[in-house]
Amino acid sequence: MEHEQYKNDSTQETQEPGKEDKPSSLMEKIQQLGQTNVPQLSNDSKIHCLTIIGQIEGHLALPPQNKTTKYEHIIPQLIAIEQNPKIEGLIIVLNTVGGDVEAGLAISEMLASLSKPTVSIVLGGGHSIGVPIAVSCNYSFIAETATMTIHPVRLTGLVIGVPQTFEYLDKMQDRVINFVTSHSNITEETFKELMFAKGNLTRDIGTNVIGKEAVENGLINEVGGIGKAIKKLNELIELQKDKEDVIIQ
Amino acid sequence: MILYTMMPPELIYPTAENEFGKQMMVQYNGIPLLVEQTEDNCYQVLRVMSSDPNHYLDGRCCPGAKISLLT
């Protein structure tokens, strides 16, 4: 192996760029991935998976070192999923710190209006605008250790300080509250109570709900992981099929 | 120096234009990928942008793998 490595080094300058495409040696694969092979599925999967990770990017493109969820990636994917008859269900995996309110609400509305069964699962964190995305699905799960921060809409920088700005922010917040209360079992009072609670977050108002608490407040349907989520999604797919059969008859 | 501000860091320290140019979206065998150009004119996969779980099992374009787009 060492000998081969030496040979590779000496010929590197004359190597063509296209050479990388060749099936790479075992050594190279271990360097790249830390593993040699992965299992292969034979047929097309009827369940697709979307990950909402990092920051939800709005109108400002974040620097490349930020991990972001871009709505211009997510929304065309959702349209493709809605149109493809082979896809029967969608699972949303969330681990987000939040981000742009309007981009987040756009994704939530798209998910809520999808005709195919959807199940969301919050792993790690589903903070601020991640909350409407989590509740927009037909059924939602939260991992036992996952957290969700509920807090009022905030802006960082670039604000014109006039009374209308405050009203605009207030209306924006109402849109979030309306969306969450109409897509989950939480009441408006409880949600607002959590949103404006004092003493839970350092020098800020709001609440950080963890796993079971989110379920107790009615925000999320159930505590569980991937296994439960896939099982629930399969159940929802069966229900959808039964409904379609009735319509045809 | 400590900056006490509620402004997001990217507004205070604008990112260099060429930083954005490094990353791009490509289709590789029908799989949408986010790639970054490396020094030796190859592309390193940063993220698989597909919603199809099968695409994540494709060993040729796992994150970290180097691919050539010249074929």
Side-chain angles (χ1 to χ4, degrees):
Chain A
M1 209 63 210
E2 248 183 295
H3 181 64
E4 222 180 88
Q5 193 68 40
Y6 177 68
K7 244 167 54 185
N8 272 347
D9 280 343
S10 58
T11 53
Q12 209 169 35
E13 274 168 36
T14 51
Q15 223 175 34
E16 284 166 55
K19 213 170 177 183
E20 279 290 331
D21 221 3
K22 276 186 181 175
S24 43
S25 66
L26 190 71
M27 194 64 173
E28 202 173 303
K29 271 204 147 165
I30 292 168
Q31 275 173 356
Q32 285 171 5
L33 310 168
Q35 62 184 27
T36 51
N37 62 336
V38 283
Q40 295 292 321
L41 278 183
S42 53
N43 51 344
D44 279 353
S45 174
K46 58 179 187 172
I47 293 175
H48 270 216
C49 167
L50 267 183
T51 48
I52 310 282
I53 51 161
Q55 265 199 63
I56 299 187
E57 197 179 273
H59 303 295
L60 188 74
L62 289 166
Q65 76 265 21
N66 292 56
K67 202 167 244 190
T68 56
T69 299
K70 297 175 202 290
Y71 61 87
E72 69 264 35
H73 288 160
I74 298 288
I75 288 172
Q77 268 177 333
L78 286 174
I79 290 170
I81 288 164
E82 176 69 35
Q83 283 185 330
N84 190 344
K86 276 184 192 157
I87 304 167
E88 292 173 8
L90 177 66
I91 186 157
I92 305 288
V93 180
L94 284 125
N95 192 357
T96 176
V97 291
D100 190 89
V101 174
E102 298 199 327
L105 276 182
I107 296 170
S108 314
E109 290 284 4
M110 290 288 290
L111 283 171
S113 55
L114 215 65
S115 71
K116 292 174 183 178
T118 49
V119 168
S120 67
I121 172 160
V122 181
L123 299 168
H127 307 290
S128 21
I129 203 66
V131 175
I133 298 177
V135 302
S136 66
C137 293
N138 297 126
Y139 204 84
S140 50
F141 284 93
I142 185 165
E144 221 174 312
T145 53
T147 69
M148 297 176 98
T149 310
I150 300 159
H151 66 81
V153 169
R154 300 188 280 234
L155 275 194
T156 44
L158 302 183
V159 188
I160 308 167
V162 289
Q164 282 81 353
T165 312
F166 177 74
E167 269 165 45
Y168 175 68
L169 279 179
D170 208 39
K171 274 187 187 155
M172 195 185 255
Q173 190 159 294
D174 281 343
R175 285 194 288 165
V176 175
I177 295 173
N178 284 340
F179 187 89
V180 172
T181 48
S182 60
H183 288 89
S184 68
N185 298 325
I186 200 165
T187 58
E188 202 179 323
E189 291 82 53
T190 325
F191 192 65
K192 278 189 168 167
E193 217 171 86
L194 293 173
M195 191 180 251
F196 301 112
K198 278 185 270 183
N200 295 328
L201 301 178
T202 321
R203 294 193 294 160
D204 199 357
I205 53 171
T207 318
N208 196 6
V209 287
I210 303 168
K212 230 169 91 186
E213 285 172 65
V215 179
E216 280 161 7
N217 284 310
L219 198 60
I220 296 289
N221 293 107
E222 209 181 309
V223 174
I226 291 290
K228 268 187 173 177
I230 298 280
K231 201 176 156 219
K232 185 74 196 175
L233 189 56
N234 281 326
E235 275 172 33
L236 290 174
I237 290 169
E238 285 305 312
L239 271 175
Q240 177 101 343
K241 270 187 192 158
D242 292 345
K243 227 191 273 172
E244 274 165 15
D245 286 345
V246 171
I247 293 165
I248 291 164
Q249 279 167 15
Chain B
M1 185 178 66
I2 299 172
L3 275 181
Y4 291 100
T5 176
M6 61 191 296
M7 297 260 281
E10 59 269 18
L11 280 180
I12 301 164
Y13 304 108
T15 320
E17 272 306 306
N18 57 353
E19 284 290 308
F20 284 99
K22 269 189 200 164
Q23 289 186 6
M24 56 190 235
M25 284 280 294
V26 291
Q27 291 275 338
Y28 180 74
N29 295 332
I31 304 171
L33 299 172
L34 182 70
V35 294
E36 188 177 56
Q37 192 163 13
T38 54
E39 282 141 23
D40 48 351
N41 258 332
C42 270
Y43 290 90
Q44 189 159 33
V45 180
L46 295 175
R47 240 170 104 181
V48 183
M49 301 301 292
S50 170
S51 66
D52 190 341
N54 285 331
H55 289 164
Y56 290 82
L57 299 179
D58 195 328
R60 289 167 302 173
C61 58
C62 275
K66 279 184 181 166
I67 54 169
S68 169
L69 301 170
L70 295 171
T71 44

